[in-house]
mmCIF file of all heavy atoms in Angstrom:
data_model
loop_
_atom_site.group_PDB
_atom_site.id
_atom_site.type_symbol
_atom_site.label_atom_id
_atom_site.label_comp_id
_atom_site.label_asym_id
_atom_site.label_seq_id
_atom_site.Cartn_x
_atom_site.Cartn_y
_atom_site.Cartn_z
ATOM 1 N N VAL A 1197 10.250 -7.309 -20.504
ATOM 2 C CA VAL A 1197 9.819 -6.093 -19.811
ATOM 3 C C VAL A 1197 9.712 -6.403 -18.360
ATOM 4 O O VAL A 1197 8.797 -7.194 -17.947
ATOM 5 C CB VAL A 1197 8.475 -5.493 -20.379
ATOM 6 C CG1 VAL A 1197 8.125 -4.204 -19.638
ATOM 7 C CG2 VAL A 1197 8.617 -5.288 -21.874
ATOM 8 N N THR A 1198 10.587 -5.863 -17.559
ATOM 9 C CA THR A 1198 10.532 -6.078 -16.137
ATOM 10 C C THR A 1198 9.828 -4.942 -15.462
ATOM 11 O O THR A 1198 10.120 -3.746 -15.685
ATOM 12 C CB THR A 1198 12.001 -6.132 -15.598
ATOM 13 O OG1 THR A 1198 12.687 -7.185 -16.270
ATOM 14 C CG2 THR A 1198 12.024 -6.443 -14.087
ATOM 15 N N VAL A 1199 8.808 -5.252 -14.630
ATOM 16 C CA VAL A 1199 8.026 -4.276 -13.911
ATOM 17 C C VAL A 1199 8.726 -3.738 -12.672
ATOM 18 O O VAL A 1199 9.135 -4.597 -11.809
ATOM 19 C CB VAL A 1199 6.626 -4.885 -13.607
ATOM 20 C CG1 VAL A 1199 5.834 -3.778 -12.803
ATOM 21 C CG2 VAL A 1199 5.905 -5.232 -14.860
ATOM 22 N N VAL A 1200 8.859 -2.477 -12.567
ATOM 23 C CA VAL A 1200 9.394 -1.867 -11.347
ATOM 24 C C VAL A 1200 8.291 -0.990 -10.786
ATOM 25 O O VAL A 1200 7.809 -0.065 -11.464
ATOM 26 C CB VAL A 1200 10.599 -0.983 -11.616
ATOM 27 C CG1 VAL A 1200 11.113 -0.268 -10.407
ATOM 28 C CG2 VAL A 1200 11.751 -1.850 -12.283
ATOM 29 N N VAL A 1201 7.864 -1.302 -9.549
ATOM 30 C CA VAL A 1201 6.755 -0.569 -8.947
ATOM 31 C C VAL A 1201 7.285 0.528 -8.036
ATOM 32 O O VAL A 1201 8.091 0.233 -7.140
ATOM 33 C CB VAL A 1201 5.852 -1.554 -8.136
ATOM 34 C CG1 VAL A 1201 4.690 -0.816 -7.452
ATOM 35 C CG2 VAL A 1201 5.316 -2.652 -8.980
ATOM 36 N N HIS A 1202 6.835 1.716 -8.257
ATOM 37 C CA HIS A 1202 7.252 2.887 -7.497
ATOM 38 C C HIS A 1202 6.234 3.084 -6.343
ATOM 39 O O HIS A 1202 5.059 3.351 -6.620
ATOM 40 C CB HIS A 1202 7.299 4.182 -8.363
ATOM 41 C CG HIS A 1202 7.640 5.409 -7.536
ATOM 42 N ND1 HIS A 1202 8.836 5.589 -6.967
ATOM 43 C CD2 HIS A 1202 6.840 6.516 -7.342
ATOM 44 C CE1 HIS A 1202 8.778 6.734 -6.326
ATOM 45 N NE2 HIS A 1202 7.652 7.333 -6.556
ATOM 46 N N VAL A 1203 6.734 2.956 -5.095
ATOM 47 C CA VAL A 1203 5.894 3.217 -3.927
ATOM 48 C C VAL A 1203 6.263 4.504 -3.326
ATOM 49 O O VAL A 1203 7.396 4.757 -2.848
ATOM 50 C CB VAL A 1203 6.084 2.081 -2.931
ATOM 51 C CG1 VAL A 1203 5.284 2.314 -1.657
ATOM 52 C CG2 VAL A 1203 5.838 0.678 -3.487
ATOM 53 N N PRO A 1204 5.306 5.507 -3.396
ATOM 54 C CA PRO A 1204 5.631 6.809 -2.779
ATOM 55 C C PRO A 1204 5.701 6.782 -1.284
ATOM 56 O O PRO A 1204 5.059 5.957 -0.623
ATOM 57 C CB PRO A 1204 4.493 7.632 -3.297
ATOM 58 C CG PRO A 1204 3.315 6.716 -3.476
ATOM 59 C CD PRO A 1204 3.939 5.416 -3.898
ATOM 60 N N ARG A 1205 6.395 7.733 -0.708
ATOM 61 C CA ARG A 1205 6.470 7.874 0.715
ATOM 62 C C ARG A 1205 5.279 8.655 1.235
ATOM 63 O O ARG A 1205 4.874 9.637 0.585
ATOM 64 C CB ARG A 1205 7.763 8.643 1.103
ATOM 65 C CG ARG A 1205 9.047 7.854 0.817
ATOM 66 C CD ARG A 1205 10.263 8.677 1.237
ATOM 67 N NE ARG A 1205 11.547 7.962 1.021
ATOM 68 C CZ ARG A 1205 12.055 7.119 1.906
ATOM 69 N NH1 ARG A 1205 11.448 6.872 3.045
ATOM 70 N NH2 ARG A 1205 13.206 6.499 1.627
ATOM 71 N N ILE A 1206 4.765 8.286 2.431
ATOM 72 C CA ILE A 1206 3.706 8.993 3.094
ATOM 73 C C ILE A 1206 4.374 9.955 4.013
ATOM 74 O O ILE A 1206 4.929 9.600 4.997
ATOM 75 C CB ILE A 1206 2.675 8.044 3.767
ATOM 76 C CG1 ILE A 1206 2.137 7.007 2.808
ATOM 77 C CG2 ILE A 1206 1.567 8.837 4.438
ATOM 78 C CD1 ILE A 1206 1.265 6.006 3.554
ATOM 79 N N THR A 1207 4.166 11.246 3.814
ATOM 80 C CA THR A 1207 4.949 12.246 4.476
ATOM 81 C C THR A 1207 4.271 12.828 5.674
ATOM 82 O O THR A 1207 4.853 13.650 6.412
ATOM 83 C CB THR A 1207 5.338 13.358 3.487
ATOM 84 O OG1 THR A 1207 4.118 13.941 2.973
ATOM 85 C CG2 THR A 1207 6.187 12.906 2.343
ATOM 86 N N SER A 1208 2.978 12.459 5.961
ATOM 87 C CA SER A 1208 2.360 13.070 7.113
ATOM 88 C C SER A 1208 1.338 12.055 7.685
ATOM 89 O O SER A 1208 0.902 11.067 7.069
ATOM 90 C CB SER A 1208 1.583 14.307 6.697
ATOM 91 O OG SER A 1208 0.524 14.046 5.841
ATOM 92 N N ASP A 1209 0.925 12.381 8.958
ATOM 93 C CA ASP A 1209 -0.053 11.464 9.560
ATOM 94 C C ASP A 1209 -1.447 11.669 8.835
ATOM 95 O O ASP A 1209 -2.233 10.698 8.801
ATOM 96 C CB ASP A 1209 -0.210 11.898 11.085
ATOM 97 C CG ASP A 1209 0.993 11.501 11.873
ATOM 98 O OD1 ASP A 1209 1.751 10.618 11.422
ATOM 99 O OD2 ASP A 1209 1.210 12.076 12.948
ATOM 100 N N ASP A 1210 -1.715 12.858 8.390
ATOM 101 C CA ASP A 1210 -3.036 13.112 7.692
ATOM 102 C C ASP A 1210 -3.054 12.238 6.422
ATOM 103 O O ASP A 1210 -4.106 11.609 6.112
ATOM 104 C CB ASP A 1210 -3.174 14.527 7.312
ATOM 105 C CG ASP A 1210 -3.354 15.452 8.513
ATOM 106 O OD1 ASP A 1210 -3.783 14.891 9.597
ATOM 107 O OD2 ASP A 1210 -3.144 16.689 8.422
ATOM 108 N N GLY A 1211 -1.915 12.171 5.742
ATOM 109 C CA GLY A 1211 -1.949 11.327 4.488
ATOM 110 C C GLY A 1211 -2.087 9.894 4.892
ATOM 111 O O GLY A 1211 -2.860 9.116 4.167
ATOM 112 N N ARG A 1212 -1.489 9.477 6.011
ATOM 113 C CA ARG A 1212 -1.634 8.064 6.370
ATOM 114 C C ARG A 1212 -3.040 7.711 6.764
ATOM 115 O O ARG A 1212 -3.593 6.670 6.362
ATOM 116 C CB ARG A 1212 -0.666 7.741 7.518
ATOM 117 C CG ARG A 1212 -0.625 6.256 7.927
ATOM 118 C CD ARG A 1212 0.456 5.981 8.959
ATOM 119 N NE ARG A 1212 1.790 6.160 8.399
ATOM 120 C CZ ARG A 1212 2.568 7.238 8.621
ATOM 121 N NH1 ARG A 1212 2.189 8.208 9.455
ATOM 122 N NH2 ARG A 1212 3.800 7.300 8.043
ATOM 123 N N GLU A 1213 -3.708 8.621 7.442
ATOM 124 C CA GLU A 1213 -5.102 8.486 7.849
ATOM 125 C C GLU A 1213 -6.062 8.434 6.642
ATOM 126 O O GLU A 1213 -7.018 7.673 6.566
ATOM 127 C CB GLU A 1213 -5.530 9.528 8.792
ATOM 128 C CG GLU A 1213 -4.950 9.410 10.168
ATOM 129 C CD GLU A 1213 -5.338 8.134 10.883
ATOM 130 O OE1 GLU A 1213 -6.519 7.674 10.761
ATOM 131 O OE2 GLU A 1213 -4.450 7.548 11.516
ATOM 132 N N ALA A 1214 -5.693 9.266 5.664
ATOM 133 C CA ALA A 1214 -6.547 9.368 4.395
ATOM 134 C C ALA A 1214 -6.493 8.033 3.637
ATOM 135 O O ALA A 1214 -7.491 7.602 2.957
ATOM 136 C CB ALA A 1214 -6.126 10.502 3.535
ATOM 137 N N LEU A 1215 -5.336 7.399 3.769
ATOM 138 C CA LEU A 1215 -5.187 6.102 2.964
ATOM 139 C C LEU A 1215 -5.510 4.856 3.765
ATOM 140 O O LEU A 1215 -5.743 3.742 3.154
ATOM 141 C CB LEU A 1215 -3.739 5.965 2.490
ATOM 142 C CG LEU A 1215 -3.249 6.976 1.467
ATOM 143 C CD1 LEU A 1215 -1.758 6.834 1.236
ATOM 144 C CD2 LEU A 1215 -4.024 6.654 0.095
ATOM 145 N N ARG A 1216 -5.793 5.089 5.060
ATOM 146 C CA ARG A 1216 -6.080 3.877 5.856
ATOM 147 C C ARG A 1216 -7.278 3.116 5.394
ATOM 148 O O ARG A 1216 -7.238 1.868 5.334
ATOM 149 C CB ARG A 1216 -6.242 4.316 7.376
ATOM 150 C CG ARG A 1216 -6.281 3.087 8.320
ATOM 151 C CD ARG A 1216 -6.390 3.617 9.786
ATOM 152 N NE ARG A 1216 -5.310 4.451 10.097
ATOM 153 C CZ ARG A 1216 -4.088 3.997 10.457
ATOM 154 N NH1 ARG A 1216 -3.827 2.662 10.478
ATOM 155 N NH2 ARG A 1216 -3.147 4.816 10.759
ATOM 156 N N PRO A 1217 -8.362 3.732 4.982
ATOM 157 C CA PRO A 1217 -9.532 2.935 4.526
ATOM 158 C C PRO A 1217 -9.207 2.020 3.359
ATOM 159 O O PRO A 1217 -9.909 1.044 3.138
ATOM 160 C CB PRO A 1217 -10.533 4.007 4.135
ATOM 161 C CG PRO A 1217 -10.236 5.213 4.963
ATOM 162 C CD PRO A 1217 -8.689 5.162 5.002
ATOM 163 N N LEU A 1218 -8.155 2.375 2.568
ATOM 164 C CA LEU A 1218 -7.830 1.552 1.409
ATOM 165 C C LEU A 1218 -7.275 0.169 1.811
ATOM 166 O O LEU A 1218 -7.435 -0.836 1.091
ATOM 167 C CB LEU A 1218 -6.713 2.236 0.657
ATOM 168 C CG LEU A 1218 -6.165 1.560 -0.584
ATOM 169 C CD1 LEU A 1218 -7.244 1.400 -1.640
ATOM 170 C CD2 LEU A 1218 -4.992 2.295 -1.167
ATOM 171 N N THR A 1219 -6.792 0.037 3.033
ATOM 172 C CA THR A 1219 -6.154 -1.202 3.467
ATOM 173 C C THR A 1219 -7.158 -2.405 3.542
ATOM 174 O O THR A 1219 -6.742 -3.553 3.372
ATOM 175 C CB THR A 1219 -5.494 -1.052 4.810
ATOM 176 O OG1 THR A 1219 -6.444 -0.698 5.830
ATOM 177 C CG2 THR A 1219 -4.378 -0.004 4.763
ATOM 178 N N GLU A 1220 -8.437 -2.065 3.712
ATOM 179 C CA GLU A 1220 -9.413 -3.151 3.803
ATOM 180 C C GLU A 1220 -9.647 -3.861 2.430
ATOM 181 O O GLU A 1220 -10.148 -4.936 2.341
ATOM 182 C CB GLU A 1220 -10.728 -2.682 4.365
ATOM 183 C CG GLU A 1220 -11.430 -1.680 3.469
ATOM 184 C CD GLU A 1220 -12.730 -1.198 4.109
ATOM 185 O OE1 GLU A 1220 -13.744 -1.873 3.893
ATOM 186 O OE2 GLU A 1220 -12.737 -0.105 4.832
ATOM 187 N N TYR A 1221 -9.230 -3.155 1.366
ATOM 188 C CA TYR A 1221 -9.401 -3.743 -0.022
ATOM 189 C C TYR A 1221 -8.070 -4.474 -0.526
ATOM 190 O O TYR A 1221 -8.108 -5.009 -1.549
ATOM 191 C CB TYR A 1221 -9.765 -2.676 -1.014
ATOM 192 C CG TYR A 1221 -11.005 -1.966 -0.672
ATOM 193 C CD1 TYR A 1221 -10.988 -0.642 -0.074
ATOM 194 C CD2 TYR A 1221 -12.267 -2.538 -0.804
ATOM 195 C CE1 TYR A 1221 -12.173 0.038 0.263
ATOM 196 C CE2 TYR A 1221 -13.423 -1.892 -0.519
ATOM 197 C CZ TYR A 1221 -13.386 -0.615 0.021
ATOM 198 O OH TYR A 1221 -14.543 0.014 0.327
ATOM 199 N N LEU A 1222 -7.100 -4.383 0.401
ATOM 200 C CA LEU A 1222 -5.787 -4.975 -0.061
ATOM 201 C C LEU A 1222 -5.639 -6.462 0.380
ATOM 202 O O LEU A 1222 -5.958 -6.762 1.530
ATOM 203 C CB LEU A 1222 -4.592 -4.212 0.536
ATOM 204 C CG LEU A 1222 -4.490 -2.779 0.081
ATOM 205 C CD1 LEU A 1222 -3.261 -2.107 0.720
ATOM 206 C CD2 LEU A 1222 -4.488 -2.600 -1.400
ATOM 207 N N SER A 1223 -5.264 -7.287 -0.565
ATOM 208 C CA SER A 1223 -5.036 -8.724 -0.157
ATOM 209 C C SER A 1223 -3.860 -8.807 0.792
ATOM 210 O O SER A 1223 -2.842 -8.096 0.684
ATOM 211 C CB SER A 1223 -4.725 -9.510 -1.453
ATOM 212 O OG SER A 1223 -4.323 -10.816 -1.094
ATOM 213 N N GLU A 1224 -3.988 -9.731 1.698
ATOM 214 C CA GLU A 1224 -2.872 -9.967 2.687
ATOM 215 C C GLU A 1224 -1.687 -10.614 2.020
ATOM 216 O O GLU A 1224 -0.535 -10.519 2.503
ATOM 217 C CB GLU A 1224 -3.360 -10.836 3.841
ATOM 218 C CG GLU A 1224 -2.438 -10.930 5.038
ATOM 219 C CD GLU A 1224 -2.267 -9.646 5.757
ATOM 220 O OE1 GLU A 1224 -3.282 -8.925 6.012
ATOM 221 O OE2 GLU A 1224 -1.139 -9.233 6.069
ATOM 222 N N SER A 1225 -1.842 -11.307 0.922
ATOM 223 C CA SER A 1225 -0.700 -11.969 0.217
ATOM 224 C C SER A 1225 -0.747 -11.591 -1.202
ATOM 225 O O SER A 1225 -1.850 -11.358 -1.778
ATOM 226 C CB SER A 1225 -0.747 -13.424 0.401
ATOM 227 O OG SER A 1225 -1.921 -13.969 -0.213
ATOM 228 N N GLY A 1226 0.406 -11.679 -1.934
ATOM 229 C CA GLY A 1226 0.452 -11.407 -3.324
ATOM 230 C C GLY A 1226 0.004 -12.665 -4.052
ATOM 231 O O GLY A 1226 -0.257 -13.747 -3.578
ATOM 232 N N ASP A 1227 -0.250 -12.392 -5.342
ATOM 233 C CA ASP A 1227 -0.697 -13.439 -6.258
ATOM 234 C C ASP A 1227 0.314 -14.573 -6.409
ATOM 235 O O ASP A 1227 0.003 -15.642 -6.843
ATOM 236 C CB ASP A 1227 -1.069 -12.919 -7.630
ATOM 237 C CG ASP A 1227 -2.325 -12.072 -7.604
ATOM 238 O OD1 ASP A 1227 -3.101 -12.186 -6.585
ATOM 239 O OD2 ASP A 1227 -2.555 -11.295 -8.521
ATOM 240 N N ASP A 1228 1.580 -14.234 -6.068
ATOM 241 C CA ASP A 1228 2.574 -15.320 -6.157
ATOM 242 C C ASP A 1228 2.668 -16.188 -5.028
ATOM 243 O O ASP A 1228 3.532 -17.007 -4.948
ATOM 244 C CB ASP A 1228 3.961 -14.609 -6.376
ATOM 245 C CG ASP A 1228 4.333 -13.654 -5.242
ATOM 246 O OD1 ASP A 1228 3.478 -13.617 -4.291
ATOM 247 O OD2 ASP A 1228 5.328 -13.008 -5.270
ATOM 248 N N GLY A 1229 1.711 -16.101 -4.015
ATOM 249 C CA GLY A 1229 1.661 -17.017 -2.896
ATOM 250 C C GLY A 1229 2.522 -16.484 -1.678
ATOM 251 O O GLY A 1229 2.551 -17.238 -0.704
ATOM 252 N N ASP A 1230 3.144 -15.466 -1.853
ATOM 253 C CA ASP A 1230 4.066 -14.954 -0.823
ATOM 254 C C ASP A 1230 3.174 -14.141 0.197
ATOM 255 O O ASP A 1230 2.646 -13.154 -0.136
ATOM 256 C CB ASP A 1230 5.155 -14.038 -1.430
ATOM 257 C CG ASP A 1230 6.074 -13.445 -0.349
ATOM 258 O OD1 ASP A 1230 5.965 -13.966 0.769
ATOM 259 O OD2 ASP A 1230 6.931 -12.599 -0.735
ATOM 260 N N ASP A 1231 3.108 -14.717 1.413
ATOM 261 C CA ASP A 1231 2.268 -14.028 2.420
ATOM 262 C C ASP A 1231 2.766 -12.673 2.730
ATOM 263 O O ASP A 1231 1.966 -11.792 3.179
ATOM 264 C CB ASP A 1231 2.265 -14.877 3.783
ATOM 265 C CG ASP A 1231 1.484 -16.159 3.544
ATOM 266 O OD1 ASP A 1231 0.636 -16.211 2.615
ATOM 267 O OD2 ASP A 1231 1.699 -17.163 4.310
#
């Protein structure tokens, strides 16, 4: 089973601002060691 991740497009500045607080919880690198 191959995982395909669907990343939606952010269509507005308001949407980008609403999601900005989420970035502080995101790791800078993936678990596979790729920065």
Side-chain angles (χ1 to χ4, degrees):
V1197 179
T1198 303
V1199 177
V1200 177
V1201 179
H1202 175 65
V1203 180
R1205 293 179 179 274
I1206 303 175
T1207 59
S1208 67
D1209 290 339
D1210 290 341
R1212 188 173 290 104
E1213 288 300 321
L1215 291 173
R1216 191 179 300 279
L1218 178 64
T1219 59
E1220 64 181 273
Y1221 300 104
L1222 301 180
S1223 172
E1224 188 67 43
S1225 63
D1227 291 343
D1228 57 3
D1230 180 7
D1231 288 340

